[in-house]
Amino acid sequence: MNIYAVQTIYRAEMKRFFRTIMQSLISPVISTSLYFIVFGAAIGSRIDQVEGISYGAFIVPGLIMLSVMTQATANASFGIYFPKFTGTIYELLSAPVNFFEIVLGYVGAAATKAMFIGVIILITAFFFVDLHIAHPMAMIAFLVMTCLSFALLGFIIGIWAGNFEQLQLIPLLVITPLVFLGGSFYSISMLPGIWQTIAMFNPVVYLISGFRWAFFGTADVSIGISLAAIALFTSGCLAVIGWIFRTGWRIRQ
Amino acid sequence: MSSIISIQNLRKAYPGGFTALKGVNLEIEQGEILALLGPNGAGKTTLISTVCGITVPTAGTVTVGGFDTMTDYRATRDLIGLVPQEINLEPFETVFNSVSFSRGLFGKPRNDAYINRILEQLSLGDKKDSKIMALSGGMKRRVLIAKALSHEPRVLFLDEPTAGVDVELRKDMWDIVAGLKADGVTIILTTHYIEEAEAIADRVGVINGGEILLVQDKSDLMAQMGQKQLQIAIKDPVAEIPDALSAYALERSEDGISLTYTYDTTGERTGITTLLNDLAAAGLVMTDLQTKQSSLEDIFVGLVKETT
Ligand SMILES: Nc1ncnc2c1ncn2[C@@H]1O[C@H](COP(=O)(O)OP(=O)(O)O)[C@@H](O)[C@H]1O
Ligand SMILES: [Mg+2]
């Protein structure tokens, strides 16, 4: 194992993040505050409670998930796409590193950055609403797994993307809608019948539901199913990455 | 001398089906400077990329330091530094960080003193904290070299290091290469400048159409280049060369009005004076004389023409 290489990639990626620390952290803080003001205060005053939880608190897990998923994906996809764009990928390909080490460096850094942002949002939320986290360990575990799995997805997108438009495409067209429709701001049980069934095909529903369970002890679907869903999603991404590295798809001809 | 790189029957067909290398065999000796000479599209970059692990061979084997590049890739890549043809650098990174990154990637512990020393040697010392995008093209090439040297490789590939650089930098580059050779680094450089091969290489390989056409010691090539031809136009065509002139190995043109004499300019005697006397004695009337020198370029162009 080329541990120096993993560290080197990880540090270089983290440095990029800290170089723009203000942008990296201020924007989630501002957008979270806006969500609380708009959804929590304006809409929340009419909804008052969802499943016995104040609406402001109810949306916290979904808000964190929304940011964490998009950030993990964006960071990882950019991280591996950028060397392709600048041409410095030649160095990764000619260095004594294997694919696992490359993934570990890029995905690890992207997941760490997303974690940071998730934690910042959580801290911001404490300023707006009363929060009591029912299962803190499960909450952290879910957060970590979500960061990792979406960073893996981002890595795949970065390898696939041939230009910056494509890099933005999947997050914009797939992830954001899935997250918004995945019960970030409402409980699936609030949807009319047919839409509840349709929602069950949205993988993000299981992640948000599981994450919400960690906060409040209640969920749309059982925690076991949520865990199975994230495990399935992670192994799917890992399988695709394994295939990419075996075949050298889009990187090594 | 033993080979540090051994390339056997190397073939490379790109996914589109184009065969860029058609069974290359090449032994590169420890500590030498080998210049690979070939026109655009000859397969130089493909050959280098395959040895370095950037592309996967379709068939054949490559060993570096006795290790197979496919099965023992960590060992082989450890030994190799690569300066790519294109200036591929991260624009927002500083020179020092970029070079230090390369070292880490190659599995070496951080060593700022060593990186600083390389940067000094490459006249990048005062630029080490500059962002790469602020550097001139020549400076960027130096950064690429520094990155390639950051992990103390034993073999250095330079893919057209002097393409499009000014004369001064080219001269610097040659000095750098000479310095590395003195440290025992084996250097393979590609170029399409013949004078570059002449100036710094120990051996010259000519590649075209995915095949190595020739690999020769530069001194042998230079000896060939030392040959000159004297063309003698004669008034009355001769059907055959008179016996009295057989010692000169003259070549007769088809129409019989021109004879060609090949001689060595580096030899003690060229034999021209006696030839001219003997020609006159044989009763041939000369109307014109012309000399022609074969250069490495002629040899090169001749070889490349044969294969296309
Ligand atoms: N990625 C690629 N896919 C398909 N063909 C390629 C690729 N890279 C190079 N080639 C082709 O292979 C041949 C050799 O290219 P290259 O090795 O770059 O030559 P050189 O470096 O000698 O100019 C060229 O005809 C080129 O078009
Ligand atoms: Mg080339």
Side-chain angles (χ1 to χ4, degrees):
Chain A
M1 175 99 170
N2 185 344
I3 195 76
Y4 284 116
V6 178
Q7 278 176 4
T8 301
I9 295 171
Y10 184 87
R11 290 211 183 108
E13 286 299 301
M14 290 310 287
K15 215 154 64 191
R16 203 204 306 285
F17 178 67
F18 286 114
R19 217 162 28 209
T20 54
I21 184 84
M22 283 325 232
Q23 282 145 273
S24 308
L25 295 184
I26 296 255
S27 81
V29 169
I30 292 179
S31 59
T32 311
S33 305
L34 286 174
Y35 275 117
F36 279 119
I37 293 164
V38 174
F39 285 87
I43 301 174
S45 64
R46 285 154 197 262
I47 300 183
D48 67 271
Q49 285 204 333
V50 183
E51 292 167 359
I53 305 148
S54 83
Y55 185 69
F58 179 82
I59 63 171
V60 170
L63 268 183
I64 295 176
M65 279 296 196
L66 174 64
S67 289
V68 153
M69 287 173 181
T70 45
Q71 288 289 332
T73 313
N75 285 326
S77 62
F78 184 80
I80 190 65
Y81 176 75
F82 198 54
K84 287 203 317 181
F85 175 73
T86 58
T88 53
I89 187 101
Y90 84 87
E91 224 182 351
L92 282 176
L93 298 179
S94 61
V97 291
N98 63 24
F99 235 63
F100 177 69
E101 290 151 356
I102 296 176
V103 171
L104 210 57
Y106 282 103
V107 168
T112 310
K113 294 183 224 179
M115 280 283 290
F116 260 107
I117 288 166
V119 170
I120 292 289
I121 293 174
L122 183 60
I123 292 170
T124 312
F126 277 110
F127 287 99
F128 288 90
V129 291
D130 258 346
L131 260 184
H132 173 78
I133 301 169
H135 309 282
M137 292 319 278
M139 192 276 284
I140 291 167
F142 244 94
L143 191 60
V144 170
M145 287 203 299
T146 307
C147 289
L148 272 178
S149 56
F150 276 78
L152 286 171
L153 176 67
F155 189 89
I156 296 169
I157 294 170
I159 296 268
W160 163 80
N163 54 49
F164 275 103
E165 284 74 45
Q166 290 182 342
L167 200 62
Q168 313 279 340
L169 205 66
I170 303 254
L172 201 69
L173 288 186
V174 182
I175 298 177
T176 311
L178 283 184
V179 176
F180 268 96
L181 300 176
S184 310
F185 301 110
Y186 52 87
S187 162
I188 298 301
S189 62
M190 291 159 78
L191 293 174
I194 177 75
W195 288 103
Q196 284 193 30
T197 315
I198 292 172
M200 287 303 133
F201 290 98
N202 178 356
V204 175
V205 164
Y206 301 92
L207 305 185
I208 293 180
S209 167
F211 199 47
R212 192 169 280 143
W213 173 86
F215 274 80
F216 309 119
T218 61
D220 287 327
V221 291
S222 87
I223 179 69
I225 294 179
S226 289
L227 283 173
I230 195 159
L232 195 70
F233 179 61
T234 310
S235 25
C237 290
L238 282 174
V240 173
I241 286 183
W243 173 81
I244 288 176
F245 280 66
R246 264 198 319 283
T247 60
W249 183 69
R250 298 233 170 173
I251 24 180
R252 186 179 267 132
Q253 287 180 315
Chain B
M1 284 259 209
S2 60
S3 301
I4 187 156
I5 297 181
S6 172
I7 299 171
Q8 265 145 22
N9 302 316
L10 184 64
R11 295 176 55 79
K12 173 64 190 180
Y14 279 109
F18 183 81
T19 305
L21 297 175
K22 301 171 184 160
V24 167
N25 289 291
L26 182 62
E27 299 290 320
I28 298 167
E29 287 163 14
Q30 173 104 46
E32 75 168 334
I33 299 179
L34 175 72
L36 275 178
L37 208 56
N40 270 332
K44 302 182 294 294
T45 300
T46 304
L47 181 59
I48 291 181
S49 300
T50 313
V51 177
C52 294
I54 294 170
T55 56
V56 185
T58 309
T61 56
V62 180
T63 63
V64 181
F67 302 105
D68 187 284
T69 52
M70 293 301 286
T71 53
D72 257 335
Y73 66 92
R74 281 193 206 265
T76 62
R77 294 183 197 174
D78 228 22
L79 295 169
I80 299 175
L82 166 65
V83 180
Q85 180 175 352
E86 310 288 337
I87 296 187
N88 299 320
L89 290 165
E90 187 177 331
F92 309 112
E93 194 55 276
T94 67
V95 170
F96 184 91
N97 287 345
S98 177
V99 177
S100 196
F101 176 87
S102 302
R103 184 178 170 87
L105 204 56
F106 276 76
K108 291 281 193 299
R110 200 179 157 140
N111 185 340
D112 292 1
Y114 178 75
I115 304 284
N116 281 324
R117 197 158 71 239
I118 300 179
L119 293 179
E120 287 299 334
Q121 277 167 5
L122 292 165
S123 315
L124 284 168
D126 56 339
K127 295 269 190 273
K128 72 192 190 90
D129 296 318
S130 306
K131 290 231 165 81
I132 284 166
M133 60 185 173
L135 302 182
S136 68
M139 285 292 170
K140 285 181 184 150
R141 271 213 195 268
R142 287 168 197 261
V143 175
L144 285 174
I145 298 179
K147 280 168 82 73
L149 295 175
S150 65
H151 65 283
E152 303 159 61
R154 301 310 300 151
V155 178
L156 184 68
F157 284 94
L158 293 149
D159 199 356
E160 299 195 20
T162 56
V165 306
D166 56 44
V167 179
E168 201 172 325
L169 181 61
R170 190 183 299 183
K171 191 75 191 34
D172 274 4
M173 211 70 93
W174 294 354
D175 290 342
I176 292 165
V177 168
L180 289 168
K181 181 185 156 76
D183 291 340
V185 178
T186 305
I187 293 152
I188 299 95
L189 65 92
T190 70
T191 180
H192 34 227
Y193 298 123
I194 285 149
E195 63 271 31
E196 184 153 73
E198 262 181 69
I200 55 176
D202 298 316
R203 286 198 307 156
V204 178
V206 177
I207 179 171
N208 190 45
E211 288 171 300
I212 301 265
L213 306 180
L214 151 158
V215 184
Q216 239 175 19
D217 277 351
K218 188 179 61 179
S219 49
D220 292 350
L221 270 181
M222 297 303 279
Q224 283 187 35
M225 280 171 44
Q227 301 207 320
K228 266 188 128 174
Q229 270 133 20
L230 176 67
Q231 272 180 1
I232 306 148
I234 47 183
K235 190 152 170 262
D236 306 308
V238 289
E240 55 187 44
I241 295 162
D243 283 346
L245 301 171
S246 63
Y248 296 102
L250 297 175
E251 280 172 58
R252 191 184 69 94
S253 66
E254 246 165 60
D255 52 15
I257 57 162
S258 159
L259 303 172
T260 305
Y261 172 58
T262 303
Y263 61 99
D264 190 350
T265 51
T266 57
E268 244 167 48
R269 309 181 47 128
T270 60
I272 292 176
T273 322
T274 51
L275 171 66
L276 295 183
N277 287 336
D278 289 352
L279 279 170
L284 298 179
V285 181
M286 295 170 265
T287 57
D288 194 14
L289 292 174
Q290 197 183 349
T291 63
K292 216 177 105 207
Q293 179 150 34
S294 59
S295 64
L296 187 48
E297 183 130 22
D298 291 332
I299 299 171
F300 177 68
V301 170
L303 278 169
V304 168
K305 256 202 203 121
E306 267 170 39
T307 58
T308 46

